[in-house]
Amino acid sequence: MFNKNNITLSSWIKQKGNEDQIILSSRIRLARNFKKIPFPGQSKKEQLDKVVSKMKDILLNKNLKINGENYKFNYIEIENVSPVKRNMYVEKNLSSPEFVKNGYGKILFYDQDEKISIMVNEEDHLRIQILLPGLQINKAWQIADKIDDIIEQNTEYAFSKKWGYLSACPTNIGTGLRASVMVHLPALNLSGNINNLFEVVGKLGLTVRGIYGEGSESSGNIFQISNQITLGSKEEDIIDNLASVTKQVINQEQTSRNRLFSEREVFIKNKILRSYGKLKYAYSISTNEAMELLSYVKLGMEMGIIKEIDSLLLKKLFILIRPAHLQSLIGKEINSEERDIKRAELIKNELNVKGGKI
Amino acid sequence: MLCDKCKKNEASIHITKYVNDEKSEVYLCEECAKETGHIDENDVFSFKNLIAGILNPDTKDYEFQQGEVLKCENCGLSYKEFVKEGKVGCADCYDTFEDNLLPLIKRIHGSEKHIGKAPEDMHKYLRVKEDIKQLKEEMEQVIEEENFEKAAELRDEIYALKKKIGSD
Ligand SMILES: [Zn+2]
Ligand SMILES: [Zn+2]
């Protein structure tokens, strides 16, 4: 019924990481452009081709060794891939939603573990991205720095002494660095303190977004925190700032969880177990409702209320229930009413055993 | 999925509303979401607004002063197009539109100077580091030979190189 051979899950989804009760993933993104070629928005087809072939030369048919680990790259051409498959890359955060829209010369490179992905000919020639499970923002930067060096040794980047790495959008110049963490904050959200937190975070040069980045809504109490500005700070300082604020966010969420369980015990236990019940017995369920219920089940598991579920199963379910993954598991495109029914079935199946089936 | 309101465009925005604890879900296209106030333009398009806000008032004056429309010679992007989209077309645009970009960049980043990683510096840095390593070996060699005059020379040379790349 659900064919797991139709999907591959990134290592950030399959593996555990530090602080992963609250931090789902850490991400580094670098915006880079080649010297002398106009940015993709103003490029001609043959210029876009040039960027693609250069990147194929650099990345394909070899093992790239970065910090002692081997990376072997593969790629897809966006225009040659079905919409469902494209959206899978968005759902597992390897691509931006903008990138998978039709467009000439758009290529997505990714390694065997899907830790590194490179969007070619998005708004910039290159968007280099590292994605790791849990709180590993420093490690992600070390990998990004190295792959950036490797590319730079084989080409020349558009760079200004004054304004650093140049980008199609002036908001990204300088380091071109966007460091972010994906956080799961059910208790802060339930206690109504989340907006206060975001206000404080904003004053510290960081910004909070929904799960697919700019302009997207939050779902399942999941948010992204990232640095706001890219020019005028060193990469290491941007990362240190994010890491130290993230640690504070973890503390705040922990405190809120403890408070919920001591001050509103009946309310929270009821919420968790009702969520679990709905997930187990619903006949039809939307992505957003499922995300929300999974969020409370995850909280329940982490607070010791629900014992029979594996934490990695929940992390996988957060991704598998999304429309493109669900349809890939089934092997065909179906409408949203059918999806909601299949989604409920998938969740029911997976919650049956400790580690799940997929 | 099609937009719930116009039933024409692909829905890109999903809204969950709670009224008296009752949950309702709406799928809208960007246009309809804006129309019904579900997208706060200030929020989603803040950067475009920011650029327009900062640059638009001056556009007319600027063109008037120039006597013609300012255009990047390398990629062909006009100043007008830049203001409209908030995106530049190539590296040269940063020179062409420098006077207009500078206040914008200052306002976005609160800074106008990059101090992070740099490609050229990396090569230079690595080369100088290699030179320092060699000079150090040479210095140890001459110290062993008790040629202290030469050692002092090498020491000064190393010092100068270290200063050049800002390491100690
Ligand atoms: Zn509509
Ligand atoms: Zn240009």
Side-chain angles (χ1 to χ4, degrees):
Chain A
M1 186 72 259
F2 297 106
N3 187 354
K4 64 179 173 184
N5 295 325
N6 294 346
I7 56 160
T8 51
L9 287 173
S10 314
S11 60
W12 78 267
I13 302 163
K14 286 189 294 195
Q15 290 170 4
K16 289 184 178 272
N18 296 332
E19 306 284 359
D20 62 5
Q21 295 203 342
I22 294 166
I23 312 299
L24 299 179
S25 67
S26 298
R27 170 156 61 163
I28 293 288
R29 192 220 64 199
L30 294 174
R32 295 288 188 261
N33 285 284
F34 290 170
K35 207 172 182 169
K36 290 183 186 129
I37 302 176
F39 304 148
Q42 291 292 107
S43 262
K44 298 187 183 75
K45 280 188 175 180
E46 55 270 27
Q47 292 170 315
L48 297 172
D49 288 341
K50 219 170 163 183
V51 176
V52 169
S53 69
K54 188 84 215 172
M55 288 311 289
K56 284 183 178 170
D57 284 348
I58 297 171
L59 295 175
L60 297 181
N61 305 318
K62 59 186 96 164
N63 263 321
L64 292 176
K65 213 174 174 99
I66 297 170
N67 300 338
E69 285 180 56
N70 285 313
Y71 293 85
K72 219 173 152 51
F73 282 89
N74 220 322
Y75 70 92
I76 53 161
E77 285 170 35
I78 294 298
E79 285 200 322
N80 292 342
V81 163
S82 72
V84 167
K85 194 162 181 210
R86 294 179 199 184
N87 281 322
M88 280 215 290
Y89 291 95
V90 179
E91 289 176 355
K92 49 188 174 181
N93 294 117
L94 259 62
S95 164
S96 63
E98 197 54 41
F99 186 64
V100 296
K101 291 180 183 164
N102 278 334
Y104 185 85
K106 287 179 169 182
I107 302 264
L108 179 72
F109 287 97
Y110 51 88
D111 72 291
Q112 74 280 8
D113 297 322
E114 302 183 353
K115 283 186 197 163
I116 303 177
S117 63
I118 302 178
M119 288 177 255
V120 176
N121 292 326
E122 206 229 27
E123 182 180 301
D124 292 308
H125 291 145
L126 308 181
R127 290 286 175 94
I128 304 164
Q129 188 181 268
I130 318 300
L131 200 49
L132 299 177
L135 185 56
Q136 300 194 69
I137 199 74
N138 268 305
K139 193 179 175 200
W141 162 244
Q142 283 159 18
I143 298 171
D145 192 21
K146 283 280 155 58
I147 184 88
D148 185 41
D149 287 350
I150 290 172
I151 297 166
E152 207 262 318
Q153 279 154 18
N154 291 283
T155 179
E156 240 183 310
Y157 281 147
F159 181 85
S160 127
K161 280 217 171 77
K162 188 165 54 177
W163 288 340
Y165 294 93
L166 299 176
S167 161
C169 189
T171 51
N172 287 322
I173 60 168
T175 57
L177 169 71
R178 198 73 63 193
S180 63
V181 286
M182 195 179 286
V183 293
H184 178 232
L185 307 174
L188 275 169
N189 207 5
L190 275 179
S191 63
N193 283 325
I194 200 113
N195 287 327
N196 295 340
L197 179 80
F198 293 165
E199 214 171 286
V200 175
V201 164
K203 286 182 182 142
L204 297 167
L206 301 170
T207 169
V208 182
R209 299 184 165 132
I211 53 173
Y212 297 130
E214 202 165 353
S216 69
E217 296 210 13
S218 101
S219 179
N221 298 311
I222 296 171
F223 305 88
Q224 264 190 72
I225 307 176
S226 60
N227 60 303
Q228 200 150 21
I229 59 170
T230 54
L231 177 73
S233 297
K234 285 190 174 149
E235 288 84 353
E236 286 78 8
D237 294 337
I238 292 173
I239 284 154
D240 283 351
N241 184 42
L242 177 66
S244 65
V245 172
T246 301
K247 287 196 179 122
Q248 293 308 310
V249 173
I250 293 170
N251 286 342
Q252 295 282 326
E253 170 68 16
Q254 287 296 8
T255 309
S256 291
R257 289 183 182 192
N258 295 337
R259 200 173 285 162
L260 265 179
F261 277 82
S262 62
E263 291 169 12
R264 299 168 73 193
E265 193 187 347
V266 175
F267 162 81
I268 190 63
K269 281 187 174 167
N270 194 32
K271 183 145 195 105
I272 287 165
L273 290 172
R274 275 170 173 275
S275 299
Y276 193 28
K278 279 189 197 167
L279 282 174
K280 273 174 134 172
Y281 295 105
Y283 176 67
S284 159
I285 194 165
S286 72
T287 309
N288 255 30
E289 189 186 4
M291 294 281 284
E292 197 186 323
L293 298 174
L294 282 169
S295 164
Y296 295 121
V297 169
K298 182 169 158 66
L299 176 68
M301 188 206 73
E302 286 157 2
M303 299 305 286
I305 309 285
I306 298 171
K307 295 200 170 71
E308 66 268 26
I309 302 179
D310 185 84
S311 69
L312 283 176
L313 168 64
L314 289 178
K315 203 169 165 189
K316 279 191 261 179
L317 275 176
F318 269 117
I319 308 294
L320 294 177
I321 58 162
R322 297 180 195 179
H325 275 85
L326 186 67
Q327 291 177 92
S328 299
L329 282 170
I330 293 166
K332 61 175 185 198
E333 290 187 38
I334 49 175
N335 67 32
S336 91
E337 189 181 47
E338 290 174 296
R339 282 207 296 273
D340 289 353
I341 296 168
K342 286 292 171 197
R343 183 175 295 113
E345 202 178 307
L346 173 71
I347 294 169
K348 205 172 300 172
N349 273 352
E350 290 298 302
L351 290 183
N352 247 335
V353 288
K354 195 167 185 350
K357 290 169 183 161
I358 289 172
Chain B
M1 185 182 304
L2 289 182
C3 168
D4 286 338
K5 189 158 179 276
C6 65
K7 315 245 188 256
K8 243 170 48 201
N9 302 330
E10 186 69 12
S12 59
I13 285 132
H14 178 200
I15 292 144
T16 314
K17 277 198 276 195
Y18 293 89
V19 183
N20 301 327
D21 251 25
E22 271 298 299
K23 190 170 170 176
S24 73
E25 296 190 77
V26 193
Y27 293 85
L28 297 174
C29 70
E30 215 162 84
E31 259 165 57
C32 293
K34 257 186 258 172
E35 211 172 282
T36 50
H38 278 114
I39 298 188
D40 182 357
E41 288 227 27
N42 288 321
D43 206 346
V44 180
F45 302 107
S46 57
F47 180 64
K48 268 195 186 178
N49 278 2
L50 178 72
I51 286 214
I54 294 173
L55 297 176
N56 258 340
D58 303 322
T59 316
K60 273 187 194 148
D61 286 350
Y62 194 78
E63 281 171 24
F64 181 71
Q65 282 166 17
Q66 296 289 307
E68 56 177 3
V69 183
L70 189 62
K71 213 171 183 164
C72 173
E73 273 179 25
N74 185 44
C75 73
L77 188 87
S78 71
Y79 182 65
K80 245 188 192 155
E81 287 169 309
F82 161 57
V83 172
K84 194 164 153 263
E85 292 301 320
K87 306 268 160 71
V88 298
C90 73
D92 287 5
C93 285
Y94 280 94
D95 297 325
T96 315
F97 307 129
E98 181 173 358
D99 293 345
N100 309 83
L101 276 165
L102 190 64
L104 179 74
I105 286 168
K106 271 193 201 162
R107 209 158 324 170
I108 295 168
H109 296 280
S111 165
E112 51 178 302
K113 182 92 189 88
H114 174 60
I115 58 167
K117 187 176 178 176
E120 306 156 76
D121 282 0
M122 195 186 75
H123 294 312
K124 203 169 67 195
Y125 181 81
L126 292 177
R127 242 192 341 260
V128 174
K129 276 221 142 170
E130 191 53 39
D131 290 347
I132 292 174
K133 207 176 131 205
Q134 277 180 10
L135 287 172
K136 271 186 178 164
E137 284 168 9
E138 217 175 301
M139 185 170 76
E140 271 160 38
Q141 183 64 36
V142 296
I143 288 175
E144 229 161 83
E145 294 160 4
E146 299 192 6
N147 185 352
F148 298 115
E149 205 176 317
K150 179 77 184 158
E153 264 174 43
L154 289 168
R155 184 201 56 206
D156 292 345
E157 221 173 302
I158 292 167
Y159 180 72
L161 283 181
K162 279 185 172 173
K163 212 173 151 188
K164 195 168 142 194
I165 59 166
S167 99
D168 43 27

